[in-house]
Amino acid sequence: MLAILWTNYTDQLKQFPCSLIFSRTTKTTAEPAEVDMARWLEDPDNVLRRLFVPLLSSVKQQHRLCNHPSALWAAMAQTFPEQSILRTMHHASTNHSVFLRMSESAAFLLPLSAAWSTQMSTMLECLVAHAAATNESDALLFLALRRRDTVLRNVRLCARQLDGAAEYAASTLSESLHSAEEEQKTAVALSGYNIDPTLDEEAPVLVPLGFLVRQSDVFRAMLTGPFREAAGVAHRDSADQKLRVQSDHATLVNLFAIVRAMDQQRSLLVSAAQLESSYSVERLAECLRLADFYDMRLLVVVLVWFFIDRVVGRAHVVPADSAVWLLSVLYRDNNALVAAFDGLADPSAAVKALGAVVLLCSDQLDLPDIIDGNVELFVETLRFVFTDSE
């Protein structure tokens, strides 16, 4: 009961004597004995969970934690000193089940000022392995939300490492489209599976053949290679080809509108601002899915950079629902992501940034599906995003 009251009224209950709850001694300034510390970190009566779970639920809804010093953590730091926590965990490291319980408690209790250590790294590995096996990620999410400023700062650092790649990709797409249109040769009429030919706004999207075959190995095979007929390409003469694309028509229209916007603006930042004002995050996620499906790598680079830089890094928000799912799939199946950035920038910057999105949205995702088999990659990602770069 005290824990629930404390959680709900933490800003009002200044200097609450939490050692009355957590320590066997009645002295508010006394540090718990090691045996008491081990007992409370193991939390057999779920006292800490009853204290923090309501707070976590509130944090999830607000997508942030209060930045100002809190009476809650000030009192916790007095009762559970950082070094005592880490020392107690070290003594329990050989017992997996006990160490897991202690790791979850430590994720709630460790102060923001805690320096990254070998013991914290081991704790992180334990929490990730547990989440991969059970999809229980509250402790990881709480740790991420408490260190949210550090996580987002490292996401922005990743974005800066990808700026040059995105600028190159945008200008190359622009030049490729402009060059293909000047050639004035074959155009391909692309249509989605739900196109309504009676509506003018759903007319097929005309795209120069040269642009498609240069920017996508998949389109090259479908339009010029041995799979051409199997792909269902309708061909009457050299100036008219038709292709049905595995996408709803609106996403197809948006995808090539984005490419043409780059051609018109010739500036990545201007194009990014136009994307923000013209398309919802969900629409852009669908465009990214389509670009990835058809292996349009340069467009994947631009759109992934957009999500990392503009949506997460600058807006300080994480996308929701379908966009989160798509970005998590790109993180999980990161071979395509690595191939897209290879030779343009360090692909690990993109992988780590998307891993941060997975972490901040872990309560919306099936973590076993995302990180099972990639536990080491996820641990390395989190080690990076949790480490203060300043």
Side-chain angles (χ1 to χ4, degrees):
M1 181 182 296
L2 284 175
I4 295 174
L5 286 173
W6 189 14
T7 301
N8 291 336
Y9 299 100
T10 181
D11 288 330
Q12 285 74 37
L13 298 179
K14 303 296 183 183
Q15 306 302 321
F16 192 89
C18 67
S19 55
L20 289 177
I21 300 176
F22 294 109
S23 179
R24 293 176 183 174
T25 177
T26 58
K27 296 179 180 180
T28 59
T29 58
E31 178 180 331
E34 290 293 330
V35 63
D36 289 335
M37 181 68 75
R39 175 176 177 270
W40 286 114
L41 287 180
E42 192 174 349
D43 197 19
D45 300 320
N46 290 317
V47 173
L48 292 177
R49 294 180 193 291
R50 290 199 302 272
L51 176 66
F52 283 104
V53 167
L55 181 59
L56 178 58
S57 298
S58 175
V59 168
K60 286 179 182 179
Q61 294 174 3
Q62 298 177 15
H63 296 290
R64 64 182 179 85
L65 280 172
C66 296
N67 293 322
H68 62 272
S70 167
L72 177 62
W73 279 288
M76 283 296 186
Q78 182 180 3
T79 305
F80 294 99
E82 173 189 345
Q83 291 306 316
S84 294
I85 293 175
L86 297 179
R87 185 167 58 249
T88 303
M89 292 178 64
H90 174 72
H91 293 325
S93 59
T94 57
N95 187 320
H96 176 75
S97 61
V98 171
F99 188 77
L100 172 61
R101 293 285 293 186
M102 288 187 174
S103 294
E104 292 173 329
S105 298
F108 293 136
L109 296 173
L110 283 170
L112 288 174
S113 59
W116 203 256
S117 64
T118 301
Q119 199 62 47
M120 291 178 68
S121 183
T122 305
M123 174 192 82
L124 190 61
E125 292 173 8
C126 183
L127 292 176
V128 171
H130 181 65
T134 65
N135 204 27
E136 295 177 5
S137 61
D138 278 358
L140 269 179
L141 181 59
F142 198 95
L143 187 63
L145 291 173
R146 283 211 67 205
R147 293 174 173 258
R148 188 171 183 273
D149 288 346
T150 298
V151 172
L152 292 177
R153 186 160 52 246
N154 285 322
V155 169
R156 292 193 295 273
L157 177 62
C158 289
R160 298 292 71 78
Q161 294 174 353
L162 301 176
D163 281 347
E167 188 71 55
Y168 171 82
S171 63
T172 301
L173 284 168
S174 172
E175 293 170 6
S176 178
L177 180 62
H178 185 69
S179 174
E181 289 181 331
E182 282 188 338
E183 292 172 0
Q184 294 183 342
K185 293 184 179 179
T186 305
V188 181
L190 301 175
S191 60
Y193 53 70
N194 61 340
I195 187 172
D196 185 347
T198 65
L199 300 177
D200 291 339
E201 61 268 24
E202 292 202 3
V205 181
L206 293 176
V207 184
L209 174 64
F211 175 80
L212 291 174
V213 299
R214 289 172 194 152
Q215 298 305 321
S216 166
D217 290 342
V218 176
F219 276 129
R220 181 185 300 115
M222 294 173 69
L223 293 166
T224 65
F227 301 105
R228 186 173 171 280
E229 291 186 5
V233 177
H235 176 65
R236 291 197 298 268
D237 55 53
S238 61
D240 186 6
Q241 295 194 44
K242 296 180 181 180
L243 179 63
R244 183 64 59 90
V245 175
Q246 296 298 313
S247 166
D248 68 277
H249 194 69
T251 299
L252 181 64
V253 171
N254 290 336
L255 182 74
F256 286 97
I258 290 170
V259 174
R260 293 189 182 280
M262 293 178 193
D263 182 54
Q264 294 165 3
Q265 301 293 347
R266 299 298 179 97
S267 167
L268 177 62
L269 293 180
V270 174
S271 298
Q274 184 173 344
L275 291 182
E276 285 182 293
S277 62
S278 301
Y279 304 98
S280 68
V281 169
E282 288 71 24
R283 280 291 186 186
L284 289 172
E286 286 301 312
C287 290
L288 176 54
R289 182 200 64 78
L290 185 58
D292 178 55
F293 184 82
Y294 282 100
D295 197 29
M296 301 182 71
R297 295 183 180 181
L298 293 180
L299 195 49
V300 168
V301 167
V302 173
L303 290 174
V304 167
W305 169 86
F306 176 85
F307 275 101
I308 293 171
D309 177 77
R310 313 292 289 206
V311 177
V312 182
R314 297 196 187 198
H316 294 186
V317 298
V318 290
D321 302 328
S322 61
V324 165
W325 177 81
L326 174 68
L327 295 175
S328 69
V329 169
L330 280 175
Y331 175 79
R332 181 194 65 194
D333 306 328
N334 57 69
N335 288 338
L337 192 64
V338 170
F341 281 93
D342 188 36
L344 302 180
D346 181 1
S348 68
V351 175
K352 289 173 181 176
L354 293 190
V357 174
V358 170
L359 173 65
L360 291 170
C361 301
S362 57
D363 57 321
Q364 304 175 40
L365 298 169
D366 180 2
L367 277 186
D369 179 59
I370 301 301
I371 64 177
D372 188 27
N374 293 288
V375 170
E376 291 183 6
L377 171 65
F378 197 55
V379 169
E380 183 60 34
T381 296
L382 302 194
R383 189 177 292 119
F384 166 78
V385 299
F386 281 146
T387 302
D388 201 324
S389 57
E390 296 183 347

